[in-house]
Amino acid sequence: MTKQPSDTRIVRPDYAIIAEWIRPRSRVLDLGCGDGALLHYLAEQRKTTGYGLELDDKYLPQCIRNGINVIQTDLDQGLAEFDDDSFDYVLLSLTLQAMHFPARLLDEMLRVGSRGIVTFPNFGHWRARIQLGLFGTMPISRTLPHQWYDTPNIHLCTLRDFEALCRDRNIDILDRRAVDHIHRASLGLRLWPNLLGEIALYQFTRKVISRH
Amino acid sequence: MSRQFPSDSVGLVHPRTVHFDHPLQLSSGETLTTYDIVYETYGELNPARSNAVLICHALSGNHHAAGYHDPDEKKPGWWDNMVGPGKVIDTDRFHVVSCNNIGGCHGSTGPATVNPDTGIPYGPDFPIVTVQDWVASQAQLADFLGIEQWAAVVGGSLGGMQAMQWAIDFPDRIRNAVLIAAAPKLTAQNIAFNEVARQAICSDPGFHEGRYYETQSEPWRGLRLARMLGHITYLSDDLMSEKFGRDLREGKINFDYGVEFQVESYLRYQADSFAGSFDANTYLLMTKALDYFDPAAATGGDLSAALKDVKADFLVISFTSDWRFAPYRSREIVRALHDNDLNVSYAEVESHQGHDAFLLKIPQYLDVFTAYMDRVAASC
């Protein structure tokens, strides 16, 4: 699965937040696990167990060397091989925007796991808005480094877009963070996450619908 | 003059034979009272006896996995691509054991062996053995060699099935299982191919109900056909097109039934070299062992339940162009393993070489396999 380059300045901060959210000894499924760095980090920090799914050949040997269980899988084919409720958390780190069917995948995440965690580059960040709104060009930034014609990122969204999708799909957002590229969680980021956040992090679960 | 072997070859190797006198109870209910197993080893067993790797062979394989039997031998052992100093299964780090399965025809007790009760070769009286029986006999060999626990049991195709059976039958005696181009059981199509192969052998006038050892004939024609058919299923359409296309040996069509297309010539060559070195009764027996393999049968078809006592870590590898044991068959195994929360990694290697890809040096395959074996070595 295509991932952003593992620039530690970008990736590590979101790892720390994810680790904060995850209860110790949880069972975790990481979709698009790359070289397994996040699962490795969670195994160290939170004693988690579980599996990483990855499509890209080049990451598999690295995962194996990292001691990560990696299963070569195309996420766009769904998670049919996993039973309902088999994980405590299903993670999707900087991968949602590269999926063909992101909405369907969110449903799948909450089928196989009780909670989902996604992180994605925020297309509503002010720099992106300026590039598009003022200069009239597709945004290129640290978190979105690709040219429009050569990008794996085919479903970009803003925080507001993502939250609208969650409402549509009966997904309950439990926690939201927005961070800039060096993980400052300033007052500004709390007030205007959709404007100042470069990376969005969400923890969510299935909304319980009462049947009266 | 002594021959120079490649530096990453185990060089000259000598098979050894061990004789077992305690009876082996077989799945069929029959008993093999005494039997021999021929085997080879490469690399040193460490003082802790923790670095032993068992290689299980496939349908037509044998104990000669690596190196050369004599300085003039043209081809090294069947998995020399993988086994040797510095190779994937690194004989500088592992003590590698490779045996010929019972029922085989390369030195271990099999249909061509003289039955001690009758004084003539077993032939059709040799009991049909199963993957489970092989694993039980390999455990006897491990006891004999003083190997309490394998660092890894490794195999491709039918060999992968043995590695899986090891993890089920002896959960405490195997730390890692590597299953390459395997399947949890055969499909009807797989069995159908095997049945055609068996019919080719059994309908050969030289077969004599399997008692051809005493006659001057051998069911070569049948064995050749069986091998041709098998060989087609080990390759892919793409590979055959690439290798032979519609090339003609003499550049023109002759309007007769001789060998015209290159692919015909190739199949005949393969068949001849195989029939000259393999026993028809063993071929029948090996295909039956394949057909019968179904570890989930004991748990009502539930493979996850069949694996519930397994403790080993797994690496499962499949090849995209393998239509004999296609990737989805490996995924069935992977699913049953993660259903049991077992450690498993799975790679689906892009290749056009078909089922036989497991014998070849394909970079992605080597990278994944090497990464895993490095991890195995680190835990020895």
Side-chain angles (χ1 to χ4, degrees):
Chain A
M1 194 41 51
T2 312
K3 268 191 101 114
Q4 300 293 320
S6 332
D7 182 329
T8 49
R9 285 169 309 163
I10 297 169
V11 177
R12 294 294 158 182
D14 76 332
Y15 286 10
I17 294 170
I18 292 170
E20 242 176 73
W21 282 345
I22 286 182
R23 284 185 297 265
R25 296 178 204 289
S26 295
R27 287 180 41 71
V28 174
L29 180 68
D30 186 4
L31 310 180
C33 67
D35 61 7
L38 175 56
L39 279 174
H40 188 73
Y41 179 77
L42 294 175
E44 276 185 347
Q45 299 291 317
R46 287 288 181 266
K47 306 271 175 280
T48 57
T49 55
Y51 304 90
L53 307 186
E54 179 57 54
L55 181 60
D56 193 331
D57 286 346
K58 70 169 179 285
Y59 288 124
L60 265 70
Q62 296 172 38
C63 281
I64 290 169
R65 286 181 201 283
N66 271 334
I68 297 302
N69 292 315
V70 62
I71 297 172
Q72 194 161 29
T73 306
D74 182 356
L75 294 180
D76 277 324
Q77 304 291 316
L79 304 174
E81 286 174 27
F82 292 91
D83 292 337
D84 294 1
D85 295 317
S86 31
F87 295 93
D88 299 312
Y89 298 90
V90 182
L91 316 179
L92 188 65
S93 168
L94 299 177
T95 302
L96 183 70
Q97 75 285 351
M99 303 313 308
H100 280 105
F101 309 105
R104 201 189 292 172
L105 189 61
L106 290 178
D107 286 338
E108 275 287 89
M109 288 171 74
L110 290 179
R111 179 182 66 78
V112 302
S114 34
R115 287 185 179 192
I117 293 174
V118 300
T119 73
F120 57 85
N122 174 26
F123 205 68
H125 184 255
W126 65 268
R127 275 206 194 84
R129 296 191 196 197
I130 286 176
Q131 285 182 56
L132 191 59
L134 218 55
F135 302 118
T137 59
M138 282 299 280
I140 291 176
S141 66
R142 278 175 297 252
T143 50
L144 293 168
H146 301 90
Q147 290 287 353
W148 65 272
Y149 52 83
D150 184 25
T151 177
N153 302 324
I154 53 175
H155 282 120
L156 290 159
C157 69
T158 69
L159 276 70
R160 200 170 282 178
D161 292 328
F162 182 77
E163 289 170 22
L165 175 66
C166 288
R167 275 194 301 277
D168 278 1
R169 294 262 162 175
N170 286 317
I171 291 171
D172 216 359
I173 293 170
L174 301 171
D175 210 336
R176 176 188 76 190
R177 299 282 179 89
V179 294
D180 65 11
H181 68 281
I182 51 167
H183 185 211
R184 276 180 313 212
S186 62
L187 179 66
L189 274 163
R190 281 202 298 275
L191 289 174
W192 302 290
N194 201 30
L195 192 61
L196 302 181
E198 283 181 90
I199 294 171
L201 297 89
Y202 285 90
Q203 184 184 183
F204 53 87
T205 188
R206 178 63 66 201
K207 192 173 279 174
V208 184
I209 302 162
S210 56
R211 297 175 189 276
H212 292 302
Chain B
M1 222 180 72
S2 73
R3 172 177 166 191
Q4 280 288 318
F5 296 111
S7 63
D8 61 354
S9 165
V10 295
L12 266 188
V13 294
H14 304 285
R16 273 166 287 184
T17 302
V18 52
H19 179 75
F20 293 99
D21 266 328
H22 31 269
L24 186 70
Q25 187 66 48
L26 303 173
S27 309
S28 63
E30 293 199 50
T31 307
L32 206 53
T33 47
T34 68
Y35 58 99
D36 290 352
I37 290 182
V38 60
Y39 67 98
E40 290 177 5
T41 65
Y42 326 106
E44 296 297 314
L45 187 61
N46 66 9
R49 299 178 171 273
S50 63
N51 68 332
V53 171
L54 176 67
I55 291 177
C56 302
H57 68 73
L59 182 68
S60 60
N62 55 45
H63 55 289
H64 187 32
Y68 301 82
H69 278 166
D70 67 75
D72 300 324
E73 197 174 29
K74 283 199 197 83
K75 274 187 173 175
W78 60 269
W79 225 17
D80 199 81
N81 277 341
M82 302 295 158
V83 185
K87 290 185 182 170
V88 178
I89 302 173
D90 186 350
T91 51
D92 288 337
R93 298 190 290 183
F94 295 117
H95 174 65
V96 180
V97 178
S98 173
C99 70
N100 184 211
N101 287 333
I102 51 173
C105 53
H106 293 92
S108 292
T109 298
T113 309
V114 171
N115 181 346
D117 295 340
T118 62
I120 57 165
Y122 280 102
D125 299 333
F126 192 84
I128 290 184
V129 292
T130 63
V131 169
Q132 244 181 319
D133 298 332
W134 283 335
V135 167
S137 67
Q138 289 159 0
Q140 296 290 323
L141 177 64
D143 290 344
F144 170 78
L145 296 171
I147 295 162
E148 178 56 35
Q149 187 187 57
W150 299 104
V153 178
V154 179
S157 191
L158 179 55
M161 294 170 173
Q162 292 161 59
M164 189 172 168
Q165 193 73 52
W166 258 100
I168 295 170
D169 289 351
F170 297 98
D172 294 313
R173 297 194 70 174
I174 165 175
R175 292 200 298 279
N176 295 275
V178 181
L179 279 52
I180 307 161
K185 63 178 179 231
L186 265 60
T187 61
Q189 188 194 49
N190 295 146
I191 295 170
F193 278 121
N194 283 344
E195 173 58 8
V196 176
R198 285 191 293 265
Q199 285 297 315
I201 292 168
C202 295
S203 60
D204 186 317
F207 183 60
H208 297 287
E209 307 292 317
R211 300 205 182 278
Y212 49 85
Y213 306 109
E214 298 102 278
T215 69
Q216 293 307 305
S217 67
E218 270 198 53
W220 273 321
R221 277 169 291 183
L223 189 55
R224 289 176 81 261
L225 283 176
R227 181 57 175 178
M228 282 189 186
L229 176 71
H231 206 81
I232 295 166
T233 70
Y234 304 148
L235 306 179
S236 70
D237 192 14
D238 283 351
L239 183 73
M240 289 180 102
S241 296
E242 183 189 297
K243 249 180 150 167
F244 314 107
R246 293 177 50 84
D247 295 352
L248 294 161
R249 280 182 85 198
E250 296 170 16
K252 62 178 176 59
I253 288 172
N254 291 328
F255 296 96
D256 64 25
Y257 298 107
V259 178
E260 294 191 298
F261 290 96
Q262 287 292 4
V263 65
E264 297 173 318
S265 161
Y266 172 78
L267 278 180
R268 288 183 193 210
Y269 170 79
Q270 287 292 333
D272 288 340
S273 64
F274 183 74
S277 64
F278 211 82
D279 180 58
N281 280 322
T282 288
Y283 201 89
L284 295 177
L285 180 146
M286 295 276 172
T287 58
K288 275 290 176 187
L290 265 168
D291 291 358
Y292 290 162
F293 179 71
D294 182 11
T299 49
D302 184 345
L303 187 62
S304 301
L307 298 176
K308 76 173 187 349
D309 295 326
V310 168
K311 294 178 181 168
D313 293 353
F314 280 72
L315 173 65
V316 180
I317 299 174
S318 69
F319 300 93
T320 52
S321 57
D322 182 355
W323 56 283
R324 188 154 174 128
F325 295 148
Y328 79 92
R329 308 305 317 281
S330 285
R331 299 198 73 114
E332 292 171 25
I333 300 172
V334 172
R335 179 182 185 151
L337 291 168
H338 69 60
D339 267 356
N340 282 289
D341 297 342
L342 289 161
N343 287 319
V344 52
S345 285
Y346 168 69
E348 199 167 298
V349 175
E350 188 82 38
S351 82
H352 67 291
Q353 289 96 337
H355 185 59
D356 268 356
F358 81 91
L359 298 166
L360 306 173
K361 288 181 167 176
I362 299 165
Q364 169 65 5
Y365 170 35
L366 295 184
D367 286 351
V368 167
F369 198 177
T370 302
Y372 194 83
M373 292 312 289
D374 282 351
R375 213 166 96 182
V376 175
S379 71
C380 284

